[in-house]
Amino acid sequence: MIQGKKFMPGRGKIAVRKDALDEKTSAGIIVKPKENVKWITGVVASVGSPNVLSNGQEEECLVKAGDRVLLSREKGYAEVGGFVIIDHQCVMAVIDKD
């Protein structure tokens, strides 16, 4: 949710809450690991409407809200209100919850 309102990404996009990268040592020191510039992980918060293909059919999105995913940063990537908004085609993998 952004500022208490329902949040729905645009057509063909997904909203992902990015995993926190900060880690705390046993002494309470916060360590910021170097971020990988090519990919991130997170949990899908919401999925936008499907894209419409040139033949009029809707393109299937293989992820759903609650899936933990590995995303590529190489295509369109934006951070808005604590969410990453990205094309659903940029999902590289769905990560097992175990």
Side-chain angles (χ1 to χ4, degrees):
M1 301 269 263
I2 294 180
Q3 299 174 353
K5 301 197 182 211
K6 186 174 180 180
F7 183 72
M8 178 65 74
R11 189 172 287 280
K13 307 280 186 197
I14 60 173
V16 177
R17 186 167 302 279
K18 188 166 63 167
D19 287 340
L21 295 176
D22 294 349
E23 295 181 13
K24 192 181 276 191
T25 65
S26 59
I29 299 170
I30 296 175
V31 179
K32 292 186 178 255
K34 188 175 180 180
E35 258 188 271
N36 187 314
V37 294
K38 292 189 178 188
W39 55 268
I40 60 169
T41 59
V43 176
V44 177
S46 61
V47 178
S49 301
N51 280 331
V52 178
L53 302 173
S54 59
N55 63 5
Q57 294 183 343
E58 292 183 341
E59 182 180 24
E60 182 181 5
C61 181
L62 300 176
V63 297
K64 60 187 180 311
D67 286 348
R68 179 166 300 284
V69 293
L70 178 70
L71 301 173
S72 170
R73 284 187 170 178
E74 293 180 358
K75 290 189 179 179
Y77 175 91
E79 288 193 42
V80 178
F83 293 96
V84 173
I85 309 299
I86 196 162
D87 289 335
H88 71 87
Q89 292 112 344
C90 293
V91 172
M92 296 170 57
V94 176
I95 302 170
D96 193 9
K97 294 180 183 178
D98 292 335

